[in-house]
Amino acid sequence: PAVAYDRTGKSTLLVLNQADFVKLNKDVTESTIVTVDADGKDFEAFIKHIDFDILSGLPKHVDFYQVERGKVLRAKVSVVITGNPVGVREGGVLETGITEIDVECLPKDLPPVIKVDVTNLGANQAIHVRDLDVSKDVKVHTPDDSVIAVVKFIRSDVPETPAEATEAAPAEA
């Protein structure tokens, strides 16, 4: 069983072929638009929620959110980091920041994921949202200074000298 909701909140009950849905769901992200054929009428939709059977792991209910063609929509798109940074090979550590960004565009322009190549990222360098290469038809609403990935050096623990230990001790009242 499944249900599809439109912009007004009207719902349409559906019955899905479980095997077909399982195959489709392997390649779907939160921002992937799928085409649903309901008795000869097709519509585009996001998969908003899936209930899984805890024993078999198979889907037992799906919620779709219909997308109107030609109308601007707002969605979250996953950010996927690829590559091995130069800074990591030099001894740094790759830290990831945000994993998705908020965008606004027409359904046809919505990217399923945004891939970020960090291969040229050196030590103490970062990639921000402003550095992303997105289509001019996609408006990004996530703040430009949000960090996607950064390479940092690990701070080594320096043992405290005896003089520093006495200065740090609280004075008696």
Side-chain angles (χ1 to χ4, degrees):
V3 64
Y5 299 98
D6 66 7
R7 280 188 174 213
T8 64
K10 181 183 166 208
S11 62
T12 305
L13 299 177
L14 304 168
V15 177
L16 302 177
N17 180 314
Q18 189 178 46
D20 290 343
F21 182 77
V22 169
K23 287 179 195 173
L24 167 81
N25 196 39
K26 289 180 183 176
D27 300 325
V28 172
T29 66
E30 289 181 32
S31 60
T32 302
I33 297 176
V34 296
T35 303
V36 180
D37 182 11
D39 294 331
K41 290 183 3 182
D42 68 328
F43 60 88
E44 293 177 336
F46 290 116
I47 299 173
K48 279 300 190 186
H49 183 75
I50 305 171
D51 286 329
F52 291 96
D53 182 283
I54 59 171
L55 296 177
S56 68
L58 294 173
K60 63 179 188 175
H61 181 79
V62 181
D63 288 342
F64 292 99
Y65 178 73
Q66 290 184 25
V67 175
E68 293 183 46
R69 293 178 180 124
K71 293 211 177 190
V72 174
L73 60 87
R74 195 162 175 171
K76 294 194 181 294
V77 178
S78 296
V79 176
V80 176
I81 295 175
T82 62
N84 186 10
V86 172
V88 169
R89 293 190 296 265
E90 295 171 349
V93 175
L94 176 67
E95 292 182 6
T96 59
I98 59 172
T99 57
E100 60 186 19
I101 61 170
D102 192 23
V103 299
E104 183 177 44
C105 62
L106 291 172
K108 68 179 180 66
D109 298 324
L110 185 67
V113 296
I114 295 177
K115 292 186 179 181
V116 178
D117 183 15
V118 295
T119 304
N120 296 323
L121 196 61
N124 297 321
Q125 291 182 336
I127 296 177
H128 298 86
V129 170
R130 65 177 163 263
D131 302 324
L132 293 178
D133 184 25
V134 294
S135 168
K136 63 179 176 55
D137 299 323
V138 177
K139 182 178 180 184
V140 178
H141 287 284
T142 304
D144 284 348
D145 60 346
S146 298
V147 175
I148 294 174
V150 63
V151 174
K152 294 182 177 179
F153 279 110
I154 298 175
R155 183 177 166 209
S156 62
D157 291 333
V158 179
E160 197 174 272
T161 62
E164 292 173 346
T166 57
E167 290 176 4
E172 289 186 32

